[in-house]
Amino acid sequence: MTDPSDRRLLLVHAHPDDETINNGATMAKYAAEGASVTLVTCTLGEEGEVIPPELAHLAADRDDTLGTHRIGELAAAMQALGVTDHRFLGGPGRFRDSGMMGLPTNDREGAFWHTDVDTAAPYLVEIVRSVRPQVLVTYDPDGGYGHPDHIQAHRVAMRAVDLAADPDYRADLGPAHTVAKVYWNRVPRSAAEEGFARLRASGAQFPGVADVADLPGVVEDDVITAAVDGGPYTGHKTAAMRAHATQIAVDGPFFALSNDLGQPLFATEYYELVRGTAGAPPGERESDLFAGLSWTDA
Ligand SMILES: [Zn+2]
C-alpha cells in the first residue's frame, strides 16, 4: 500500500483524553501524511475528576456538566492533532462514563459498563463498515489498567471487528468489511522505566511521581510488535494534552492526571499486533501500522 490517502486508521477509546495519551503522536503523524484517521470515543467522560479548581463545579457530584465540557476539549485536541473525523459511539451521551471499577455508577442505567456488548457493538459495526479501516487500534482485554469503560471499549471493538466482517450480520449496517490488522495499545517495560528515570532526573514539579506499575498497558518488551516514532509530532501531542485541561496537567515532556502523579509523555507509541500479519521480519518491530498491507486489503 503506497498511496497514503488510501490508508484508513480507526481508533476506539473510552473517554476523551485516552486517544491523546495513548495515540496522540500516531494520530498526528498519519493525519499529516494524508491518511484517514477516525476516532470513536465511547463515553463523554462524565465521571472524571476535574483538575483546575475554577472548573471543579463541572464534576458529576456538582453540576454534572463535565461531559458537555469535554466534548469541547476533545474537539480542541483533535484540532491540535489535525484529525477531522471524530465520533461518539451512538452519538454524544448515548453511553455514560461508568466511573472507576466497583463504584455504584458502574451499574446505572445507560452506563457503558452496564450495557450489553451486543447492544453497543452495532453502532461500531456501522462505523467500521462505512469507514472501512485497514487498521484498528484499541486496548488490551484489561483495558490497560482495569477501568470498566476501557475493558468495555476493548470488548465492543473486538466484537465489532468480528461482526463487521460477517456478511450475514445486519446487512442494513452496510456491506461486510474485514479489518486487516488490529493492534492493542502497549508500553514496553524498558521505555516506561527509562521515562520515569528521565522524569526523576528532570526536577519537574509534580506533587509526586507515578511508578511503572501505575502505567496502563505495560508489558515485557518482547510483547511489543510495533513502535511508531511520533517524535516530529511531540508538539501536536503536547498541545492536544493541554486541550484536555480538566484531566491533564502538562509540564514540559511530562504530565499528571488528577492523581497529581507525574509521568512521562511518550513520543514513540507502542503496539501489539493481535490480528493480521506483521509487515516486519520475524523478531523485528514494525515502524508503520500499515506495513505489509497490499492493495487487496483496501
Ligand atoms: Zn479513560
Side-chain angles (χ1 to χ4, degrees), residues 210-255:
D211 180 85
V212 170
D214 300 320
L215 282 192
V218 173
V219 288
E220 299 311 316
D221 288 23
D222 61 4
V223 174
I224 307 294
T225 65
V228 175
D229 176 8
Y233 301 96
T234 308
H236 295 69
K237 180 168 182 170
T238 305
M241 291 183 97
R242 289 189 195 282
H244 289 293
T246 61
Q247 306 300 307
I248 305 175
V250 180
D251 181 355
F254 309 107
F255 70 99

CSV table of all heavy atoms in Angstrom, one decimal, residues 210-255:
chain,number,residue,atom,x,y,z
A,210,ALA,N,4.6,9.1,39.6
A,210,ALA,CA,4.0,7.7,39.4
A,210,ALA,C,5.1,6.7,39.3
A,210,ALA,O,6.3,7.0,39.4
A,210,ALA,CB,3.1,7.7,38.2
A,211,ASP,N,4.6,5.5,39.1
A,211,ASP,CA,5.5,4.3,39.1
A,211,ASP,C,5.2,3.5,37.9
A,211,ASP,O,4.1,3.7,37.3
A,211,ASP,CB,5.3,3.5,40.4
A,211,ASP,CG,6.2,2.3,40.5
A,211,ASP,OD1,7.3,2.5,41.0
A,211,ASP,OD2,5.7,1.2,40.1
A,212,VAL,N,6.1,2.7,37.4
A,212,VAL,CA,5.9,1.9,36.3
A,212,VAL,C,4.5,1.1,36.4
A,212,VAL,O,3.8,1.0,35.5
A,212,VAL,CB,7.0,0.9,36.0
A,212,VAL,CG1,6.7,-0.1,34.9
A,212,VAL,CG2,8.3,1.7,35.6
A,213,ALA,N,4.3,0.7,37.7
A,213,ALA,CA,3.1,-0.1,37.9
A,213,ALA,C,1.8,0.7,37.8
A,213,ALA,O,0.7,0.1,37.6
A,213,ALA,CB,3.1,-0.7,39.3
A,214,ASP,N,1.9,2.0,37.8
A,214,ASP,CA,0.7,2.9,37.6
A,214,ASP,C,0.4,3.1,36.1
A,214,ASP,O,-0.7,3.6,35.8
A,214,ASP,CB,1.0,4.3,38.2
A,214,ASP,CG,1.3,4.2,39.7
A,214,ASP,OD1,0.6,3.4,40.4
A,214,ASP,OD2,2.2,5.0,40.1
A,215,LEU,N,1.3,2.7,35.2
A,215,LEU,CA,1.0,3.0,33.8
A,215,LEU,C,0.2,1.9,33.2
A,215,LEU,O,0.4,0.7,33.4
A,215,LEU,CB,2.4,3.0,33.0
A,215,LEU,CG,3.2,4.3,33.1
A,215,LEU,CD1,4.3,4.2,32.0
A,215,LEU,CD2,2.4,5.5,32.9
A,216,PRO,N,-0.8,2.3,32.4
A,216,PRO,CA,-1.6,1.3,31.7
A,216,PRO,C,-0.8,0.5,30.6
A,216,PRO,O,0.0,1.1,29.9
A,216,PRO,CB,-2.7,2.1,31.0
A,216,PRO,CG,-2.6,3.5,31.5
A,216,PRO,CD,-1.2,3.6,32.1
A,217,GLY,N,-1.1,-0.7,30.5
A,217,GLY,CA,-0.6,-1.5,29.3
A,217,GLY,C,0.9,-1.8,29.3
A,217,GLY,O,1.4,-2.2,28.3
A,218,VAL,N,1.6,-1.7,30.5
A,218,VAL,CA,3.0,-2.0,30.5
A,218,VAL,C,3.2,-3.6,30.4
A,218,VAL,O,2.5,-4.3,31.1
A,218,VAL,CB,3.7,-1.5,31.8
A,218,VAL,CG1,5.1,-2.0,31.8
A,218,VAL,CG2,3.6,0.0,31.8
A,219,VAL,N,4.0,-4.0,29.4
A,219,VAL,CA,4.3,-5.4,29.2
A,219,VAL,C,5.8,-5.6,29.0
A,219,VAL,O,6.6,-4.6,28.8
A,219,VAL,CB,3.6,-5.9,28.0
A,219,VAL,CG1,2.1,-6.0,28.2
A,219,VAL,CG2,3.8,-5.0,26.7
A,220,GLU,N,6.3,-6.8,29.0
A,220,GLU,CA,7.7,-7.1,28.7
A,220,GLU,C,7.9,-6.7,27.3
A,220,GLU,O,7.0,-6.7,26.4
A,220,GLU,CB,8.0,-8.6,28.9
A,220,GLU,CG,7.8,-9.0,30.4
A,220,GLU,CD,8.4,-8.1,31.4
A,220,GLU,OE1,9.6,-7.7,31.2
A,220,GLU,OE2,7.8,-7.8,32.4
A,221,ASP,N,9.2,-6.3,27.0
A,221,ASP,CA,9.5,-5.7,25.7
A,221,ASP,C,9.2,-6.6,24.5
A,221,ASP,O,8.8,-6.1,23.5
A,221,ASP,CB,11.0,-5.3,25.7
A,221,ASP,CG,11.3,-4.1,26.5
A,221,ASP,OD1,10.5,-3.8,27.5
A,221,ASP,OD2,12.3,-3.4,26.3
A,222,ASP,N,9.3,-7.9,24.7
A,222,ASP,CA,9.1,-8.8,23.5
A,222,ASP,C,7.7,-8.9,23.1
A,222,ASP,O,7.4,-9.5,22.1
A,222,ASP,CB,9.8,-10.1,23.8
A,222,ASP,CG,9.2,-10.9,25.0
A,222,ASP,OD1,8.3,-10.4,25.6
A,222,ASP,OD2,9.8,-12.0,25.3
A,223,VAL,N,6.8,-8.4,23.9
A,223,VAL,CA,5.3,-8.4,23.5
A,223,VAL,C,5.1,-7.4,22.5
A,223,VAL,O,4.1,-7.5,21.6
A,223,VAL,CB,4.4,-8.2,24.8
A,223,VAL,CG1,3.0,-8.1,24.4
A,223,VAL,CG2,4.6,-9.4,25.8
A,224,ILE,N,5.9,-6.3,22.5
A,224,ILE,CA,5.7,-5.2,21.5
A,224,ILE,C,6.0,-5.6,20.1
A,224,ILE,O,7.1,-6.2,19.9
A,224,ILE,CB,6.6,-4.0,21.9
A,224,ILE,CG1,6.4,-3.6,23.4
A,224,ILE,CG2,6.3,-2.8,21.0
A,224,ILE,CD1,5.0,-3.1,23.7
A,225,THR,N,5.1,-5.4,19.2
A,225,THR,CA,5.4,-5.7,17.8
A,225,THR,C,5.5,-4.5,16.9
A,225,THR,O,6.0,-4.6,15.8
A,225,THR,CB,4.3,-6.6,17.2
A,225,THR,OG1,3.1,-5.9,17.1
A,225,THR,CG2,4.1,-7.9,18.0
A,226,ALA,N,5.1,-3.3,17.4
A,226,ALA,CA,5.2,-2.1,16.5
A,226,ALA,C,5.5,-0.9,17.4
A,226,ALA,O,5.0,-0.8,18.5
A,226,ALA,CB,3.9,-1.9,15.8
A,227,ALA,N,6.4,-0.1,16.9
A,227,ALA,CA,6.7,1.2,17.6
A,227,ALA,C,6.7,2.3,16.5
A,227,ALA,O,7.3,2.2,15.5
A,227,ALA,CB,8.1,1.1,18.2
A,228,VAL,N,5.7,3.2,16.8
A,228,VAL,CA,5.6,4.3,15.8
A,228,VAL,C,6.3,5.6,16.4
A,228,VAL,O,6.0,6.0,17.5
A,228,VAL,CB,4.1,4.7,15.6
A,228,VAL,CG1,3.9,5.9,14.7
A,228,VAL,CG2,3.3,3.5,15.0
A,229,ASP,N,7.3,6.0,15.7
A,229,ASP,CA,8.1,7.1,16.1
A,229,ASP,C,7.3,8.4,15.8
A,229,ASP,O,7.3,8.9,14.7
A,229,ASP,CB,9.5,7.1,15.4
A,229,ASP,CG,10.3,8.4,15.7
A,229,ASP,OD1,9.9,9.1,16.6
A,229,ASP,OD2,11.3,8.6,15.1
A,230,GLY,N,6.8,9.0,16.8
A,230,GLY,CA,6.0,10.2,16.7
A,230,GLY,C,6.8,11.5,17.1
A,230,GLY,O,6.2,12.5,17.3
A,231,GLY,N,8.1,11.3,17.1
A,231,GLY,CA,9.0,12.4,17.6
A,231,GLY,C,8.6,13.7,16.9
A,231,GLY,O,8.5,14.8,17.6
A,232,PRO,N,8.5,13.8,15.6
A,232,PRO,CA,8.2,15.1,15.0
A,232,PRO,C,6.9,15.6,15.4
A,232,PRO,O,6.6,16.8,15.1
A,232,PRO,CB,8.2,14.7,13.5
A,232,PRO,CG,9.0,13.4,13.3
A,232,PRO,CD,8.8,12.7,14.6
A,233,TYR,N,6.0,14.8,16.0
A,233,TYR,CA,4.7,15.3,16.4
A,233,TYR,C,4.5,15.4,17.9
A,233,TYR,O,3.4,15.5,18.4
A,233,TYR,CB,3.6,14.3,15.8
A,233,TYR,CG,3.8,14.2,14.3
A,233,TYR,CD1,4.5,13.2,13.7
A,233,TYR,CD2,3.2,15.2,13.5
A,233,TYR,CE1,4.7,13.2,12.3
A,233,TYR,CE2,3.4,15.2,12.1
A,233,TYR,CZ,4.2,14.2,11.5
A,233,TYR,OH,4.4,14.2,10.2
A,234,THR,N,5.6,15.5,18.6
A,234,THR,CA,5.5,15.7,20.0
A,234,THR,C,4.8,16.9,20.4
A,234,THR,O,4.0,17.0,21.3
A,234,THR,CB,7.0,15.7,20.6
A,234,THR,OG1,7.7,14.6,20.2
A,234,THR,CG2,6.9,15.7,22.1
A,235,GLY,N,5.0,18.0,19.6
A,235,GLY,CA,4.3,19.3,19.9
A,235,GLY,C,2.8,19.2,19.7
A,235,GLY,O,2.1,19.7,20.5
A,236,HIS,N,2.4,18.4,18.7
A,236,HIS,CA,1.0,18.2,18.4
A,236,HIS,C,0.4,17.4,19.6
A,236,HIS,O,-0.7,17.8,20.1
A,236,HIS,CB,0.8,17.3,17.2
A,236,HIS,CG,1.2,18.0,15.9
A,236,HIS,ND1,2.5,18.2,15.6
A,236,HIS,CD2,0.5,18.5,14.9
A,236,HIS,CE1,2.6,18.8,14.4
A,236,HIS,NE2,1.3,19.0,13.9
A,237,LYS,N,1.1,16.4,20.1
A,237,LYS,CA,0.6,15.6,21.2
A,237,LYS,C,0.5,16.4,22.5
A,237,LYS,O,-0.5,16.4,23.2
A,237,LYS,CB,1.5,14.4,21.4
A,237,LYS,CG,1.0,13.5,22.6
A,237,LYS,CD,1.8,12.1,22.6
A,237,LYS,CE,1.2,11.2,23.7
A,237,LYS,NZ,1.8,9.8,23.6
A,238,THR,N,1.5,17.2,22.7
A,238,THR,CA,1.5,18.1,23.9
A,238,THR,C,0.4,19.1,23.9
A,238,THR,O,-0.3,19.3,24.9
A,238,THR,CB,2.9,18.8,24.1
A,238,THR,OG1,3.9,17.8,24.0
A,238,THR,CG2,3.0,19.5,25.4
A,239,ALA,N,0.2,19.7,22.7
A,239,ALA,CA,-0.9,20.7,22.6
A,239,ALA,C,-2.2,20.0,22.8
A,239,ALA,O,-3.1,20.6,23.4
A,239,ALA,CB,-0.8,21.3,21.2
A,240,ALA,N,-2.4,18.8,22.3
A,240,ALA,CA,-3.7,18.1,22.5
A,240,ALA,C,-3.9,17.7,23.9
A,240,ALA,O,-5.0,17.7,24.5
A,240,ALA,CB,-3.7,16.8,21.6
A,241,MET,N,-2.8,17.3,24.6
A,241,MET,CA,-2.9,17.0,26.1
A,241,MET,C,-3.3,18.3,26.8
A,241,MET,O,-4.2,18.2,27.7
A,241,MET,CB,-1.6,16.5,26.6
A,241,MET,CG,-1.3,15.1,26.0
A,241,MET,SD,0.1,14.3,26.7
A,241,MET,CE,-0.5,13.3,28.0
A,242,ARG,N,-2.8,19.4,26.5
A,242,ARG,CA,-3.2,20.7,27.1
A,242,ARG,C,-4.6,21.0,26.9
A,242,ARG,O,-5.3,21.6,27.7
A,242,ARG,CB,-2.3,21.8,26.6
A,242,ARG,CG,-0.9,21.8,27.1
A,242,ARG,CD,-0.1,23.1,26.7
A,242,ARG,NE,1.3,22.9,26.9
A,242,ARG,CZ,2.0,23.0,28.0
A,242,ARG,NH1,1.3,23.2,29.2
A,242,ARG,NH2,3.3,22.8,28.1
A,243,ALA,N,-5.2,20.6,25.7
A,243,ALA,CA,-6.6,20.9,25.4
A,243,ALA,C,-7.5,20.1,26.3
A,243,ALA,O,-8.6,20.5,26.6
A,243,ALA,CB,-6.9,20.5,23.9
A,244,HIS,N,-7.0,19.0,26.9
A,244,HIS,CA,-7.8,18.2,27.9
A,244,HIS,C,-7.5,18.8,29.3
A,244,HIS,O,-7.1,18.0,30.2
A,244,HIS,CB,-7.5,16.7,27.8
A,244,HIS,CG,-7.9,16.1,26.5
A,244,HIS,ND1,-9.3,15.9,26.3
A,244,HIS,CD2,-7.3,15.5,25.5
A,244,HIS,CE1,-9.4,15.2,25.1
A,244,HIS,NE2,-8.2,15.0,24.6
A,245,ALA,N,-7.8,20.0,29.4
A,245,ALA,CA,-7.3,20.7,30.6
A,245,ALA,C,-8.0,20.3,31.9
A,245,ALA,O,-7.4,20.4,33.0
A,245,ALA,CB,-7.5,22.2,30.5
A,246,THR,N,-9.2,19.8,31.8
A,246,THR,CA,-9.8,19.3,33.1
A,246,THR,C,-9.2,18.0,33.6
A,246,THR,O,-9.3,17.7,34.8
A,246,THR,CB,-11.4,19.1,32.9
A,246,THR,OG1,-11.6,18.0,31.9
A,246,THR,CG2,-12.1,20.3,32.5
A,247,GLN,N,-8.5,17.3,32.7
A,247,GLN,CA,-8.0,16.0,33.0
A,247,GLN,C,-6.5,15.9,33.1
A,247,GLN,O,-6.0,14.9,33.8
A,247,GLN,CB,-8.4,15.0,31.9
A,247,GLN,CG,-9.9,15.0,31.7
A,247,GLN,CD,-10.7,14.6,32.9
A,247,GLN,OE1,-10.4,13.6,33.6
A,247,GLN,NE2,-11.6,15.5,33.3
A,248,ILE,N,-5.7,16.8,32.5
A,248,ILE,CA,-4.3,16.6,32.3
A,248,ILE,C,-3.6,17.9,32.6
A,248,ILE,O,-4.0,18.9,32.1
A,248,ILE,CB,-3.9,16.1,30.9
A,248,ILE,CG1,-4.7,14.9,30.5
A,248,ILE,CG2,-2.4,15.9,30.8
A,248,ILE,CD1,-4.5,14.5,29.0
A,249,ALA,N,-2.5,17.8,33.5
A,249,ALA,CA,-1.7,18.9,33.7
A,249,ALA,C,-0.3,18.6,33.1
A,249,ALA,O,0.3,17.6,33.4
A,249,ALA,CB,-1.5,19.1,35.2
A,250,VAL,N,0.1,19.5,32.1
A,250,VAL,CA,1.3,19.2,31.4
A,250,VAL,C,2.5,20.1,31.9
A,250,VAL,O,2.3,21.2,32.2
A,250,VAL,CB,1.1,19.5,29.9
A,250,VAL,CG1,2.4,19.3,29.1
A,250,VAL,CG2,-0.1,18.7,29.3
A,251,ASP,N,3.6,19.4,32.1
A,251,ASP,CA,4.8,20.2,32.4
A,251,ASP,C,6.0,19.7,31.5
A,251,ASP,O,6.6,18.7,31.8
A,251,ASP,CB,5.2,20.0,33.9
A,251,ASP,CG,6.4,20.7,34.4
A,251,ASP,OD1,7.1,21.4,33.5
A,251,ASP,OD2,6.7,20.7,35.6
A,252,GLY,N,6.2,20.4,30.5
A,252,GLY,CA,7.3,20.0,29.5
A,252,GLY,C,7.0,18.7,29.0
A,252,GLY,O,5.9,18.4,28.5
A,253,PRO,N,8.0,17.7,29.0
A,253,PRO,CA,7.8,16.4,28.4
A,253,PRO,C,7.1,15.4,29.4
A,253,PRO,O,7.2,14.2,29.2
A,253,PRO,CB,9.2,16.0,28.1
A,253,PRO,CG,10.0,16.7,29.1
A,253,PRO,CD,9.4,18.0,29.4
A,254,PHE,N,6.5,16.0,30.5
A,254,PHE,CA,5.8,15.1,31.5
A,254,PHE,C,4.4,15.6,31.7
A,254,PHE,O,4.1,16.7,31.3
A,254,PHE,CB,6.6,15.2,32.8
A,254,PHE,CG,8.1,14.9,32.6
A,254,PHE,CD1,9.0,15.9,32.7
A,254,PHE,CD2,8.5,13.6,32.3
A,254,PHE,CE1,10.4,15.7,32.5
A,254,PHE,CE2,9.9,13.4,32.1
A,254,PHE,CZ,10.8,14.4,32.2
A,255,PHE,N,3.6,14.8,32.3
A,255,PHE,CA,2.2,15.2,32.6
A,255,PHE,C,1.7,14.5,33.8
A,255,PHE,O,2.3,13.5,34.3
A,255,PHE,CB,1.3,15.0,31.4
A,255,PHE,CG,1.0,13.5,31.1
A,255,PHE,CD1,-0.2,13.0,31.6
A,255,PHE,CD2,1.9,12.8,30.4
A,255,PHE,CE1,-0.4,11.6,31.3
A,255,PHE,CE2,1.6,11.4,30.2
A,255,PHE,CZ,0.5,10.8,30.6
